[in-house]
Amino acid sequence: MMGIMDIDLTGQTAVVFGAGKGIGETVSKQLAQAGAIVYLASRTEANCVRVMTEIVDAGNKAVAISCDVSDINQVDAVLAQAEKETGKLDIVINNAGIDCVTPFVDCSQEEMMRVIMTNQVGVNNGLQCALRRMKKYNHGKIVTTTSFAGRRDLPHGLGFGHYGMTKAAVNYITQSAAFAGADYNINVNAVGPGIVLTKMWEDILDTAEKEGKNRKEVWNEYIKTYIPLARGAQTHEDIGYMMVFLCSKYADHITGQIIYVDGGATTA
Ligand SMILES: NC(=O)c1ccc[n+]([C@@H]2O[C@H](COP(=O)([O-])OP(=O)(O)OC[C@H]3O[C@@H](n4cnc5c(N)ncnc54)[C@H](O)[C@@H]3O)[C@@H](O)[C@H]2O)c1
């Protein structure tokens, strides 16, 4: 028996920025499984090639391209290649992001600029380039990865500081982009993960370990303190399901929204 929502993206062209690992890798695989041809764009080409091989081995379609999202020309070149090779552009996922867990007062200008260039300027580049190219098709779905840190900071030295600042900016421009896309039937939304054990959190735990703390205890404490829902941390798949849904026809009337898949972390 069929379920009520069967997501079929057969023949659609999708571009995922930040597709080489973590959440981006998973959503790329999910989009490919739903039938899309997925252009995997990330800074480290070897990671994209690995993900591409796994997608193709599973019988689905993908293309790997290296791209630094902080450079608008590189972002546009990826979209241009996808359009040139497939004749269209249906889905763009702006997922590339880096962490910055240096305490607010100690963060150097250099580190702050690095996180701004990837998380904020990179997302801006993806939104502007995608909207400019999608307009002519009069349809499209754009999804950006934000964070619960864009809505609230944490006390007691666990703060997100400049990382959170970039995600708050992402939330704002998601709405600006949604207004810009609305006349062209383009939906623009963002998904905010809470806590997902990826390289980003491994980095945070590395720092805690260097400070002499117990890795596992720190992780468990984060989960217990910040995720009300007793299921614990989110998985890559949990975030990907929401993204794939937002790319589907079932989300045709959703735009300008920041949707948190965070076990309640935004409200805790
Ligand atoms: N892991 C979490 O708990 C969590 C929580 C909230 C939000 N997020 C957000 O989810 C997104 C993905 O994070 P993740 O946890 O999967 O991290 P990750 O480090 O596992 O993956 C990030 C990906 O982005 C790519 N990338 C980084 N900088 C880039 C650049 N300048 N140009 C192109 N690609 C670049 C990396 O190569 C990698 O493929 C990020 O936007 C992050 O802020 C993660």
Side-chain angles (χ1 to χ4, degrees), residues 27 56 68 127 141:
V27 71
V56 171
D68 182 338
L127 290 172
K141 297 269 169 46

Side-chain angles (χ1 to χ4, degrees), residues 1-31:
M1 199 176 71
M2 289 281 287
I4 189 168
M5 289 196 283
D6 185 17
I7 295 179
D8 182 5
L9 304 175
T10 303
Q12 297 208 19
T13 301
V15 175
V16 180
F17 292 103
K21 55 188 163 78
I23 293 165
E25 171 179 348
T26 297
V27 71
S28 298
K29 289 177 174 169
Q30 290 174 326
L31 289 167

Side-chain angles (χ1 to χ4, degrees), residues 22-235:
I23 293 165
E25 171 179 348
T26 297
V27 71
S28 298
K29 289 177 174 169
Q30 290 174 326
L31 289 167
Q33 202 185 331
I37 174 164
V38 185
Y39 283 76
L40 310 154
S42 242
R43 246 180 344 186
T44 315
E45 196 172 1
N47 287 341
C48 293
V49 171
R50 177 187 58 77
V51 178
M52 177 184 73
T53 306
E54 290 176 24
I55 290 176
V56 171
D57 286 351
N60 299 312
K61 297 191 186 102
V63 177
I65 314 173
S66 84
C67 167
D68 182 338
V69 294
S70 64
D71 178 349
I72 196 163
N73 294 321
Q74 290 188 38
V75 169
D76 199 48
V78 173
L79 301 180
Q81 184 179 331
E83 260 193 297
K84 188 162 169 252
E85 291 176 0
T86 67
K88 57 208 193 42
L89 184 61
D90 305 288
I91 292 166
V92 173
I93 310 281
N94 293 307
N95 171 75
I98 55 172
D99 64 67
C100 168
V101 287
T102 307
F104 180 75
V105 176
D106 302 330
C107 187
S108 67
Q109 287 276 298
E110 195 191 7
E111 193 175 1
M112 179 184 76
M113 289 314 293
R114 199 165 51 234
V115 74
I116 289 174
M117 286 311 291
T118 296
N119 296 10
Q120 190 172 327
V121 176
V123 166
N124 169 79
N125 295 342
L127 290 172
Q128 284 191 317
C129 294
L131 285 169
R132 286 171 188 157
R133 289 184 173 275
M134 279 174 163
K135 264 160 101 165
K136 59 181 167 297
Y137 302 112
N138 204 42
H139 90 117
K141 297 269 169 46
I142 304 174
V143 180
T144 296
T145 314
T146 179
S147 168
F148 87 109
R151 190 158 133 186
R152 59 163 299 191
D153 204 359
L154 304 179
H156 312 306
L158 299 175
F160 291 110
H162 296 89
Y163 173 82
M165 173 184 81
T166 64
K167 295 298 187 179
V170 161
N171 291 355
Y172 191 90
I173 56 170
T174 297
Q175 296 189 2
S176 311
F179 292 142
D183 286 344
Y184 304 95
N185 203 26
I186 300 166
N187 304 58
V188 186
N189 292 293
V191 175
I195 299 180
V196 184
L197 189 55
T198 61
K199 171 78 171 51
M200 279 189 42
W201 275 97
E202 297 289 1
D203 288 347
I204 293 169
L205 297 175
D206 285 349
T207 308
E209 213 166 32
K210 275 186 208 134
E211 289 165 359
K213 296 176 192 150
N214 178 295
R215 205 181 178 86
K216 206 166 166 48
E217 275 173 24
V218 172
W219 174 250
N220 290 340
E221 192 56 32
Y222 272 126
I223 305 299
K224 203 170 90 200
T225 311
Y226 298 113
I227 306 181
L229 198 63
R231 289 189 181 99
Q234 292 80 60
T235 65

